[in-house]
Amino acid sequence: MRCKTVSVLLSILVIFNSAIFPSLSQQSQTKPSVEQPPGWNDLTDLWKDWVNQHTETIAGNALEAWEKRESLTELDNLIFTDAYTSVREQLTAQALETEKQVPLPYEMKEYTIEIVIENTGPEKHFGPQTVEALMESFHKEYNFVITALHGETYLRELDTKYPPDEWIQMLLDKEVAIADSDFYTRFLSMRGSVVNLENKPEEWTSGKHGISPTNDFHTYRNAFVNREIWEHQQMRAAYLTDPHIMGGFFGGPDAETFFPHKSGRAYVKRDGDKFTFSGEKLSPKQQFELLSEGIIPEGHEIIYLDENSNLLDKPPVPISPEALRKTGIPGRPWDEIAPEDRASKAGSEKMITGEHFRVHVQHPDRLITLISPRWETRMYHKVKAQIQDPRPVFEVPPRDDR
């Protein structure tokens, strides 16, 4: 039903677009029923046509992504108009810059459009809370993701040690409601953590992570699962309060305080001259100035914790530059890319050739599902060669001089 509805909506988009832009010759004389993006009249007709063509495709892909994850709570003209208008504005802005080097779009030897569709939400489960129904909804996608990340051997060994149907039933017995694919993946992935902890008795007796010490693995495993369920519920409650949260960690007494990660927020854990950072990444220069002089980087929020992840009510004493230099801070030069980021950055840049356009499509705010609002789909549209002018060629009839 939803697929049919989206198909109809996409058809409306095509009709809408055709009505507004009937032809290149009429384009400049027709006033669109939607507001023209800034700079639109500075584009040539062929660049306008290029923008409209890709806008239609990208907006359609966004609607399909939202439909697949059941995150369209209603379907009306405002949904595709929001997506269409946003994409058109972004492509127009980039086309204006590209046009300065490439006057006509077909003269681009190749180009890539990188599309990020954000806030599509998780796939939801509308059936009963039974093992069979839940596996029918989510297990195929779960297997695909885990196999892609860890390989078939890992998944097979995991399923042998803790069969998925038995694991799900154990969760249901604990009255855990698995409402969507986010819940399902999180709770089934616990099995990997349990297998990893099975041969680490020092973890069972450590009292870490808010779990009481024990010498019995079965007791520890049950407490670990209960703790993971509790943490997930706390995090989900935090997401409902603030959709800008991007994960986080637990600390404080008995590790019961949730410290959320957000854009621009960095946590600094201090134990004398020892320190660790988490959250927003800071450059070596920013770290050095923060720790030695207390200078907070512009646009950032800094939260200090002690060695046990308890919140500090005031910044700790600065660390001397000499002590910092012994830790490797600052790096040389200040703006040097961190070693762990250098390889990935260089690799990604090598993959991009020709012209590169980036488009970010955000689900309209009034339709964002509060569960897992940070989900995103990334796709690439690549065109390797533009060999001819796409405009229609008309033969000129021979002149009659009679």
Side-chain angles (χ1 to χ4, degrees), residues 309-328:
S309 294
N310 295 304
L311 190 65
L312 294 176
D313 55 4
K314 62 181 180 179
V317 296
I319 302 175
S320 69
E322 293 75 18
L324 283 175
R325 290 191 180 97
K326 291 179 181 179
T327 69

Side-chain angles (χ1 to χ4, degrees), residues 9-289:
L9 208 136
L10 292 174
S11 300
I12 294 173
L13 179 60
V14 173
I15 296 170
F16 168 82
N17 192 38
S18 301
I20 294 175
F21 307 106
S23 69
L24 288 174
S25 62
Q26 297 173 343
Q27 207 174 83
S28 60
Q29 301 173 359
T30 304
K31 182 179 181 180
S33 58
V34 292
E35 186 176 347
Q36 293 179 343
W40 178 256
N41 292 329
D42 295 328
L43 290 176
T44 62
D45 284 346
L46 280 174
W47 268 111
K48 290 178 182 178
D49 192 48
W50 181 89
V51 169
N52 288 330
Q53 174 190 345
H54 289 298
T55 296
E56 181 179 308
T57 301
I58 294 169
N61 288 338
L63 290 176
E64 288 182 355
W66 293 330
E67 185 276 334
K68 285 179 181 178
R69 295 204 165 269
E70 300 287 351
S71 58
L72 289 177
T73 56
E74 58 179 280
L75 289 170
D76 56 30
N77 290 352
L78 290 177
I79 298 173
F80 76 80
T81 300
D82 285 345
Y84 189 95
T85 302
S86 172
V87 173
R88 193 159 166 253
E89 287 180 354
Q90 294 175 69
L91 285 180
T92 298
Q94 296 178 78
L96 284 168
E97 292 300 314
T98 306
E99 187 183 33
K100 296 174 183 177
Q101 286 77 38
V102 186
L104 298 172
Y106 67 84
E107 293 178 347
M108 288 188 288
K109 293 182 179 179
E110 58 185 89
Y111 63 88
T112 301
I113 302 179
E114 178 184 335
I115 306 147
V116 176
I117 301 175
E118 189 182 19
N119 292 329
T120 57
E123 184 176 355
K124 296 179 181 178
H125 176 73
F126 296 101
Q129 289 287 305
T130 64
V131 173
E132 295 76 13
L134 290 166
M135 293 186 72
E136 176 67 23
S137 291
F138 305 129
H139 205 65
K140 184 177 180 180
E141 180 179 341
Y142 169 80
N143 280 347
F144 175 80
V145 171
I146 299 302
T147 300
L149 291 174
H150 303 289
E152 292 184 4
T153 301
Y154 171 86
L155 181 60
R156 186 164 53 249
E157 291 176 351
L158 202 59
D159 286 350
T160 300
K161 183 74 176 178
Y162 294 107
D165 55 342
E166 295 179 8
W167 191 266
I168 295 169
Q169 186 59 60
M170 178 267 294
L171 294 169
L172 295 177
D173 291 342
K174 293 178 179 290
E175 298 184 351
V176 174
I178 302 176
D180 55 52
S181 56
D182 187 24
F183 272 100
Y184 192 87
T185 299
R186 168 85 180 222
F187 290 147
L188 254 71
S189 295
M190 279 188 222
R191 298 180 299 162
S193 300
V194 169
V195 170
N196 185 49
L197 291 166
E198 188 167 350
N199 296 315
K200 295 181 178 179
E202 67 276 9
E203 289 290 324
W204 319 341
T205 59
S206 68
K208 294 190 298 186
H209 313 300
I211 301 176
S212 300
T214 179
N215 290 311
D216 178 64
F217 175 68
H218 293 288
T219 301
Y220 179 82
R221 182 181 67 188
N222 187 59
F224 175 83
V225 171
N226 290 339
R227 171 73 190 194
E228 287 289 301
I229 293 171
W230 177 83
E231 285 190 1
H232 195 53
Q233 290 170 339
Q234 301 307 305
M235 293 173 68
R236 305 281 283 211
Y239 293 150
L240 291 175
T241 303
D242 186 351
H244 300 291
I245 290 174
M246 301 179 291
F249 61 96
F250 288 84
D254 296 322
E256 291 187 348
T257 302
F258 178 57
F259 294 101
H261 288 148
K262 298 178 68 174
S263 177
R265 175 181 292 179
Y267 293 91
V268 185
K269 184 184 289 189
R270 286 285 305 274
D271 181 9
D273 284 353
K274 298 178 182 179
F275 58 89
T276 56
F277 286 88
S278 64
E280 186 81 9
K281 288 187 177 180
L282 302 180
S283 70
K285 181 175 185 292
Q286 290 172 328
Q287 293 181 20
F288 187 88
E289 292 179 342

